[in-house]
Amino acid sequence: MPVPSLPAELAALRETAVSVLRGNDLGDITRPSPTLYPHQWLWDSCFIAIGLRHLDPQRAAAEILSLLRGQWPSGMIPHVIFAETTDFYHAGPQRWRCDRVTTTAGGAQSTGVTQPPMIAEAAVRVGEMMTDSARAAFYRQLYPGLLRFHQWLYTERDPDDDGLVSLVHSWESGMDNTPTWMEITRPAAPLAVRALRRINGDDALDALRRDSKEVPPDERLTSGDLFTLYRIVRELRGAHYDFREIRRTIVPLVQDVAFNAILIRANEHLTAIAAEIGEVIPAGLRRSMRRSREAIGQLVVDGVYYSRDFRTRTLLRHETIAGLLPLYAGVVPEDRVDGMVKTLTSPRYCARFGVASVPLDDPAFLPRCYWQGPVWVNMNWLIADGLERYGRLDAADDLRRNTVDVIAASGAMYEYYSPLDGSGAGSNRFSWTAALLLDLLATAR
Ligand code: 2M8
């Protein structure tokens, strides 16, 4: 691929991004980070492919197709497909024991939950870089598995035909400790966590955790919350990862606004992929797709989109970045778009480095703590894409420029950035930051 001509400083930054992706390349999958995340993650691989397309479209296609190796007979594509590695990961196969309930298409071990369905978006972006015949061949390989995944999302996770799919763990949302999820999850804290917390806060639990050795604990979720998420995994395991059984447990069930927004956009891409290779989307799925577009309108109050508790159908009134993703889905009525643009560029979301994951005036806001405040490059990318399709080109360009600037100022591919001072946090060799930087540089106007 010809390298776009870039000022020296950005060319060096691009080289750093390429070397991070090479360093995290495990053959035809890319791990999100060499230390924290040594396996394959669903939505990470999608964002990674969107960057890799600028280096090698076939390798990018392989990144996407490799996700099908983890597909369950039910159609689910898991959120983590475990790689053959002895590197430590805190929620590895032993925590899930999915091999007791199913097999995966490629025989790999996996988790028992999914993640935001970014596959169709990534496939279309990669397809744009291919010849017509290579793209058609790629789409033909991907389509049957991708179709089954979208069908599974509705049949398994929208049993009441709401048009919105439900998630069974905050890890499915990808925004692990976002306040919306933590509030609904905390009542499920194990008794021991509650007791220890009473005696000694989270400090007593810190010694027991193993995920925070690489980064300071205050950049991750609290130990109490982490042990609660492990407890939810135990509940899911006991329910054989089957939604009908899960419904009868204490597991929180959330119609997550960001996940459903991503699904709505993915449905459009899936439809385009099918059309290109002469396939017809089954009528049942087409109907679900239509219902989703209508149903997401039930999540908005006074111009703000929220997630909803599946059990009680009450809105979870936490305003977070998740509520901005309907812009990416293209489902925000035109007369509300400018209001949302105003919100995301206001000091509440601190537009200087992109969009804070939690507004600065929220009591839960912490500038360097994971999904509780930091700016994430993938979120900026998604929101900018939505703004562009709404014709808000200046806002989209500003957001993209700010994203490149914040990465450039840090000089490294951080996992997330403080919205207050732009300092990097989490992993400093993080794949999707590297990949999306390549995409932002290649597509800048
Ligand atoms: C984070 O989540 C994993 C669990 O899936 C973890 O904390 O161990 C999240 O940021 C998630 O969105 C991301 O896909 C994953 C890998 O980068 O890390």
Side-chain angles (χ1 to χ4, degrees):
M1 282 287 123
V3 177
S5 75
L6 291 169
E9 187 201 306
L10 288 183
L13 194 66
R14 184 180 186 282
E15 277 318 301
T16 307
V18 171
S19 78
V20 164
L21 289 173
R22 295 229 164 95
N24 289 341
D25 189 343
L26 299 178
D28 54 6
I29 66 164
T30 308
R31 55 191 177 185
S33 130
T35 46
L36 281 178
Y37 312 113
H39 304 286
Q40 181 179 29
W41 265 257
L42 194 168
W43 76 334
D44 294 65
S45 271
C46 298
F47 292 119
I48 289 163
I50 290 170
L52 284 179
R53 72 189 177 130
H54 300 290
L55 304 177
D56 178 351
Q58 287 304 335
R59 173 65 187 78
E63 183 82 29
I64 297 172
L65 290 169
S66 69
L67 288 167
L68 297 181
R69 285 197 304 226
Q71 190 158 34
W72 287 23
S74 63
M76 185 187 81
I77 299 188
H79 106 288
V80 183
I81 303 167
F82 293 111
E84 298 279 330
T85 173
T86 53
D87 290 352
F88 174 74
Y89 175 61
H90 67 100
Q94 291 311 316
R95 212 173 269 293
W96 299 88
R97 296 314 312 253
C98 292
D99 50 348
R100 290 185 181 156
V101 294
T102 194
T103 50
T104 58
Q109 299 253 46
S110 78
T111 61
V113 297
T114 191
Q115 237 189 354
M118 282 294 304
I119 303 175
E121 171 78 79
V124 167
R125 300 282 173 154
V126 172
E128 283 168 7
M129 308 300 275
M130 294 173 143
T131 61
D132 290 357
S133 62
R135 181 172 59 252
F138 166 48
Y139 282 180
R140 275 195 200 100
Q141 253 183 297
L142 180 66
Y143 179 75
L146 186 56
L147 174 70
R148 290 203 303 120
F149 179 40
H150 282 232
Q151 287 176 312
W152 174 84
L153 282 168
Y154 285 107
T155 51
E156 176 77 6
R157 295 300 186 80
D158 181 17
D160 299 352
D161 202 16
D162 283 357
L164 297 170
V165 303
S166 289
L167 306 188
V168 301
H169 197 291
S170 81
W171 285 339
E172 294 199 308
S173 77
M175 302 185 194
D176 303 14
N177 65 337
T178 186
T180 315
W181 269 97
M182 287 306 101
E183 187 177 304
I184 194 168
T185 300
R186 280 186 191 131
L191 277 178
V193 165
R194 280 185 250 175
L196 274 171
R197 233 185 203 157
R198 266 197 304 273
I199 301 165
N200 199 8
D202 271 325
D203 293 353
L205 298 162
D206 282 347
L208 302 172
R209 71 191 285 180
R210 291 190 61 195
D211 74 310
S212 60
K213 301 289 180 266
E214 306 294 335
V215 296
D218 61 354
E219 293 179 15
R220 315 288 294 175
L221 36 64
T222 65
S223 300
D225 286 342
L226 184 65
F227 287 108
T228 306
L229 295 188
Y230 292 159
R231 195 239 163 141
I232 305 282
V233 172
R234 281 202 304 281
E235 294 286 334
L236 296 174
R237 201 169 64 207
H240 310 101
Y241 304 103
D242 176 336
F243 196 77
R244 279 161 306 186
E245 287 186 53
I246 295 169
R247 267 183 108 156
R248 296 197 286 266
T249 69
I250 51 91
V251 166
L253 303 173
V254 175
Q255 294 174 326
D256 185 271
V257 62
F259 189 106
N260 279 282
I262 289 172
L263 176 58
I264 288 170
R265 180 72 181 134
N267 285 337
E268 283 174 4
H269 286 308
L270 179 64
T271 306
I273 290 171
E276 186 159 342
I277 57 173
E279 295 284 347
V280 178
I281 305 266
L285 181 58
R286 282 209 309 273
R287 185 181 157 279
S288 299
M289 289 173 169
R290 277 195 304 274
R291 279 185 60 75
S292 280
R293 292 190 68 88
E294 291 155 17
I296 201 161
Q298 297 163 16
L299 305 183
V300 66
V301 178
D302 296 334
V304 180
Y305 286 85
Y306 301 99
S307 295
R308 189 164 75 177
D309 182 337
F310 169 74
R311 295 180 193 282
T312 61
R313 302 300 202 271
T314 49
L315 293 178
L316 303 166
R317 299 283 285 261
H318 265 288
E319 205 181 326
T320 73
I321 197 166
L324 297 173
L325 289 207
L327 281 171
Y328 166 71
V331 291
V332 179
E334 182 55 44
D335 60 0
R336 281 209 201 112
V337 175
D338 286 331
M340 284 177 77
V341 174
K342 214 165 147 199
T343 302
L344 75 92
T345 53
S346 73
R348 291 186 64 224
Y349 279 93
C350 206
R352 208 165 126 224
F353 306 107
V355 190
S357 41
V358 169
L360 274 61
D361 55 6
D362 187 306
F365 172 78
L366 288 172
R368 289 171 59 83
C369 183
Y370 224 23
W371 290 93
Q372 223 175 302
V375 166
W376 287 78
V377 170
N378 65 334
M379 290 293 115
N380 285 354
W381 188 94
L382 291 167
I383 293 170
D385 183 72
L387 292 174
E388 178 167 345
R389 279 181 288 107
Y390 272 108
R392 299 330 193 251
L393 300 187
D394 289 346
D397 288 347
D398 284 351
L399 182 49
R400 289 176 176 140
R401 245 192 322 272
N402 290 347
T403 311
V404 173
D405 287 351
V406 74
I407 303 171
S410 78
M413 303 298 131
Y414 280 100
E415 193 176 351
Y416 38 95
Y417 295 87
S418 160
L420 299 185
D421 60 11
S423 58
S427 168
N428 63 358
R429 279 171 290 164
F430 193 62
S431 295
W432 86 39
T433 300
L436 294 177
L437 175 77
L438 294 184
D439 193 59
L440 291 171
L441 291 177
T443 56
R445 270 190 285 265

